[in-house]
Structure formats: C-alpha cells, structure tokens
Amino acid sequence: MTTSAAIVACNVYVTAAASHHSSTLLNLLNRTQCYCQEIRHTAMRNALAGSKMMAPVAVIHAYADIPYDRSSFHLAGRPDCVADVVGRLIRNALNEIDLDWSNINNNKTEKNEDARHPFVGLVDHVSVMPLEYPRRNNPQNCEAAANAAHEIGKQISKTNLVNIHYYGMACPHNTPLATVRRQRTSFFQSGGATGEGQVGQYEPETKRTNASSKGDMTIGAPVNFVENFNIRLTSNVNFEQAKTLTQFLRGRNISTKGYGVAGVEALTLPYVRDTSEGGTVYEVACNLTHPTEGGVNEVRAQIEKWIERQRQLFSSEIEDAAKLDDEYFVEDAYSVGTTEEQCLSVLSGKWSKEDIGAASNEVLWEEYDQRVYDNFRGYLQKQY
C-alpha cells in the first residue's frame, strides 16, 4: 500500500469530440470538477486549522481535437482520489456516449473520412503517471501509479462494456504500451493509421466481443511522466516527406541511424480539415516518454534540423528559395495535455497570486475550474 504522500497524474483519452457529443463531454467535465471540489472541501474540513496543503485532486486541463474526434481529460492528485474520480468519469462516459461501430470501422467521422486518431474503443487509453518532479526515481510514486491504474481497471471491469489491457508498471511483465497496442488491439489498423503502412503487418490477437460494446481500453502506468507533442505540417509536405520527419524524431533511431530524440515515439497521421483551412495535411504525433532527456526543446531542435535538410533537398525545385522558411514546412508545433510542472503547480496553488494552501480557497478553485471548462468548450467549438 502507498501513503497519501504519493501523488500521480492521469490522462483519460475519449474517442469523441464531434459536435453531437459536445454537450455530453462538457457535462462530463463539469461533474468531474464538482466531484473534485467535494473531495477538496472534505480534505480542508478535516485538515488542521491554518494548515497549507496540496490539493488532493483536481482537473488540470481538458482538451478536444475536432479533426481527430478525440478528447482528453488530465487530472492529478493523491492516487486514491485520482482513481476514485477517474473511475467515475470513465463510467459516466461509457454509459452516456455511444459509438457507431459501423461508421468507425469505415473510418468515418461527422465531417470527413480517415481523419480519426487511431483508437481501440470509446475510452481508448488511460495513463497513470508518477509525479516526481523534482524528485526522481521515487519508488513510492511509481507503486502508487501502478496501484491506481489497477483500481481504475477494477472499477471499469464491472461495467462489462470494455476489454481492458494493462501495460507498463501495471502489467506483470511491464509490457510497453506500443507492444500491447500492436499485439493485443487493432490500434495500428484504425483511424488515420489505416493503410499508411505504419504497423499494418501485425494481426491483433484480441477481437471485440459482445461484452465489449464500447471496445478495448489500454490502462497502464509508465515509469516516467509522458508528455504529448504534435507537429502539424503544411500542405507543401506530402506523406512521404512527413514520414521522414517521423523517422527523424523517433528515439529508437539514435543508435542505428544517428538521429532522433531520446524516448520519443512518433506516428504519421493525416489531419483532415475543410478546404478553407488547407484540406488534408499530415501531422506527426509524438509521445515524449523521457521528457527530462528528450523534451519539447530537443524535439524543436530536431525539427529545425529536418527543415534545414528539406531546404537542401528542395531548393533546386523552388524558383524562390527564400520561400523555404520554417512556415513553408511546419504549420504548428504544440503540446497536448500537461507537464509535471503544470500538475504540481496547480495542486500546490502556485497558479494563484494568493499565498494560500492549494485546497483552502474555494472561490479561487471555482475560477480555475471555470477557466479549464471555458477552454475545453472553446476547443469543442473550434471550426476546421
């Protein structure tokens, strides 16, 4: 068992962001925030008078990406509180959001085809990560993350709506997420990964059954906090070029090819929008599994090297070589979700200008929750 001193973060990825799901998703977020408020209020009521304490649980961020038809909820706090809140969030999502498997199997979303992010079910992925910054290699937090992942899985298994696959520290063999996805699910044969030749040679071992009407779910605990970072390329970059950036970023290529960023896992995906926004472009979606070694700065530096290589390769084909600036190749490069520092800052109340304990001012927490809610609503209403 772990003590309350341990703290974890948890990301919950939901295969839904289209307009007909927006009100349900907003309601899910609101109820999750209200439940976190109840837990914080109880914690402060039971705390010693005048004590400053880290908030027991909070929704740090919520994000939605319309072209990928994918939303995510990012929480942090004590492992028991996080498992309780996340379990309730997932159960509500499973009960209130339906997936049209016939459309999904044809890679159809509300506005386009072949745009969906690769997925295995409604609640596609749950990642419970140790929050250790600035303390590294804290076995207590690692054990807490694994235990919280199992507790969430235990709660969700009672619904009989999903097949659960554990990975990382939550798996007896510490199997990596990519391996579980490849060997036990159809992740790499779904959504925007379909037909792109990325991992298409693998045949999933686990098939969807009647007892898993909401699909599969991967739940696990990485050994480190994992950050997500996407690079959206312009319409000047075709699929073959985009794949070279993916190769240029993957950490597994460092020893064999001399380039890459430590710990980076990358996938090339189509990003389909209205023609007014540039139509179909390609995006390289990255997991930064060791952000202290291969973080956003290292990824951006590698992108610059890739851009310089593209300039050299294509300058002879462009009359005005001056046009080959960064914006010619890269439309946007952005983080998705949270960082360790962000989670700890929110839990400790450092986002507030007030010098108070993180859980001791309900008014300030209401303001923070409203900001997260408004940002999420903005993502859901964004037009592409």
Side-chain angles (χ1 to χ4, degrees), residues 119-120 181 184-190 204 206 208 216:
F119 67 99
V120 296
R181 281 174 165 170
R184 305 192 65 192
T185 78
S186 57
F187 181 86
F188 292 106
Q189 290 80 36
S190 65
T206 304
R208 191 163 56 249
D216 292 346

Side-chain angles (χ1 to χ4, degrees), residues 230-234 271 273 281-283 330-332 334:
N230 292 351
I231 305 101
R232 188 177 308 146
L233 303 171
T234 69
Y271 199 82
R273 307 169 299 186
V281 294
Y282 291 96
E283 188 164 87
V330 177
E331 178 180 294
D332 197 8
Y334 60 100

